């Protein structure tokens, strides 16, 4: 990695990842004519990459801009050994397979310094996510790729007592990977094309000493451009699953000194999320309603910053907020669903100590 005060900056590196995953699934139908379904297997994943980034800051020569570019080469390999059994129907299947993928990805960013505390930027990138297997399903899915553009503005003003960041982005996906439940089996499919556009706004203000107020929000438009889900079901134009149109967050934080006895921090957070579809098919039983939640905390830090006592409450109103909803595709004979919720009201106290403290 580069160091120093010159206009050039660079970084080079390598990445290696190795994982061995074993999954065993058991489903037993409780009806009088029920059956037992078992599947699973072992999946070995190996991934490595080399990457580099180079940037030049033209401000040293009197021009208010900076350019940074990076490139990465990734290679993935996956080996699977899987099985599926339904004893009542004499089904006993097994298989082994191997897949390899590689991709060159990269990014270029242009930063323009409008003023000392205001920067506009444009970033273009090409991304990649490796393919894989749905363990025990005897199916495999392809990698997904994405071409993205982001235009943004970062600013500070009022003597650094206010900060406003705005970003607009456009993401174009090819072979977008989507997950769903088919009867008793979880699987992954490649939607042909999808486009996600959005705007993010992050603000932070210090109206009086010690008080920080933050307001963040997002608007999202996520749509399948081309997705033939089955020979008879075309989902082109549907909303991408797990993509709420709006989200919002507000927080208040107040810090004050206790002199030789340390300092206190009080914080409250509020989060709201719009309704969302959890499956690729946009029908009512696949949709979760909008929800909100609020958290609070009070933290004491010793004067030497070695000791911390943190009292917290999460989900203050004890709301039953849906975290995940997985339902069958409506094509199979079952009407299965798996539902999970965010934790109920949770409270506690954390104690912390660290070596060193204030230097």
């Amino acid at each position: 990695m580069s160091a120093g005060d010159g206009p050039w900056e660079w970084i080079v590196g390598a990445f290696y990842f190795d994982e061995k995953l074993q999954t065993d699934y058991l489903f037993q139908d409780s009806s009088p004519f029920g059956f037992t379904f078992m599947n699973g297997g072992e999946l070995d994943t190996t991934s490595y990459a080399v990457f580099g980034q180079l940037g030049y800051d033209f401000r040293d020569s009197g021009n208010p801009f900076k350019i940074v570019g990076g490139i990465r080469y990734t290679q993935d390999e996956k080996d699977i050994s899987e099985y599926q059994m339904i004893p009542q129907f004499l089904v006993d299947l097994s298989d082994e397979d191997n897949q390899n993928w590689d991709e060159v990805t990269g990014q270029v960013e242009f930063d323009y310094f409008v003023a000392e505390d205001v920067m506009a930027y444009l970033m273009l990138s090409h991304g990649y996510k490796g393919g894989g297997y749905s363990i025990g399903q005897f199916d495999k899915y392809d990698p997904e790729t994405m071409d993205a553009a982001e235009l943004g503005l970062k600013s500070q003003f009022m003597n650094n007592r206010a900060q406003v960041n705005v970003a607009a982005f456009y993401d174009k996906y090819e072979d977008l990977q989507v997950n769903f439940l088919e009867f008793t089996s979880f699987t992954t499919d490649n939607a042909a094309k999808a486009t996600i556009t959005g705007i993010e706004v992050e603000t932070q203000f210090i109206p009086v000493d010690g008080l920080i107020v933050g307001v963040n929000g997002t608007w999202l438009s996520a749509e399948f451009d081309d997705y033939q889900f089955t020979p008879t079901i075309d989902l082109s134009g549907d909303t991408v699953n797990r993509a709420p149109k709006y989200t919002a967050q507000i927080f208040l934080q107040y810090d004050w000194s206790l002199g030789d006895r340390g300092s206190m921090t009080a914080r409250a957070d509020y989060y709201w999320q719009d309704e969302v579809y959890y499956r690729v098919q946009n029908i009512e039983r696949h949709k979760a309603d909008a929800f909100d939640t609020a958290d609070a905390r009070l933290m004491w830090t010793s004067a030497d910053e070695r000791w911390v006592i943190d009292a917290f409450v999460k989900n203050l109103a004890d709301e039953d907020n849906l975290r995940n909803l997985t339902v069958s595709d409506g094509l199979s004979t079952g009407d299965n669903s798996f539902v999970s919720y965010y934790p109920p009201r949770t409270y506690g106290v954390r104690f912390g100590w660290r070596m060193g403290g204030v230097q």
Side-chain angles (χ1 to χ4, degrees), residues 183-211:
F183 194 26
T184 59
S185 303
F186 292 97
T187 189
T188 300
D189 194 15
N190 289 104
K193 295 180 181 179
T195 300
I196 299 177
T197 58
I199 299 174
E200 296 179 341
V201 179
E202 297 179 347
T203 66
Q204 186 169 291
F205 304 94
I206 305 176
V208 296
D209 290 344
L211 177 63

Side-chain angles (χ1 to χ4, degrees), residues 161 206-212 253-256:
R161 299 178 73 92
I206 305 176
V208 296
D209 290 344
L211 177 63
I212 302 174
Q253 179 174 311
Y254 187 69
D255 304 297
W256 69 96

Side-chain angles (χ1 to χ4, degrees), residues 184-324:
T184 59
S185 303
F186 292 97
T187 189
T188 300
D189 194 15
N190 289 104
K193 295 180 181 179
T195 300
I196 299 177
T197 58
I199 299 174
E200 296 179 341
V201 179
E202 297 179 347
T203 66
Q204 186 169 291
F205 304 94
I206 305 176
V208 296
D209 290 344
L211 177 63
I212 302 174
V213 181
V215 180
N216 306 325
T218 63
W219 168 81
L220 202 64
S221 173
E223 183 177 289
F224 292 116
D225 300 321
D226 181 13
Y227 186 13
Q228 192 69 39
F229 184 59
T230 71
T232 59
I233 299 178
D234 185 358
L235 300 183
S236 302
D238 276 14
T239 299
V240 175
N241 55 321
R242 303 177 186 274
K245 188 172 184 179
Y246 300 104
T247 62
Q249 179 187 17
I250 302 172
F251 72 86
L252 300 172
Q253 179 174 311
Y254 187 69
D255 304 297
W256 69 96
S257 174
L258 300 177
D260 294 340
R261 293 174 292 175
S263 61
M264 297 290 296
T265 297
R267 181 179 174 112
D269 289 85
Y270 173 81
Y271 174 79
W272 176 86
Q273 177 180 294
D274 201 3
E275 62 186 22
V276 62
Y277 289 104
Y278 279 102
R279 269 193 57 88
V280 292
Q281 293 168 287
N282 293 176
I283 60 179
E284 283 301 311
R285 75 188 191 96
H286 298 164
K287 186 170 68 174
D289 294 333
F291 74 86
D292 59 356
T293 187
D295 305 329
R297 63 187 300 188
L298 182 64
M299 183 172 66
W300 170 81
T301 304
S302 64
D304 60 5
E305 297 185 359
R306 288 191 176 186
W307 293 94
V308 174
I309 302 176
D310 184 11
F312 64 90
V313 181
K314 297 183 178 181
N315 191 1
L316 275 165
D318 199 23
E319 298 284 353
D320 294 327
N321 293 326
L322 194 64
R323 183 173 190 169
N324 191 30

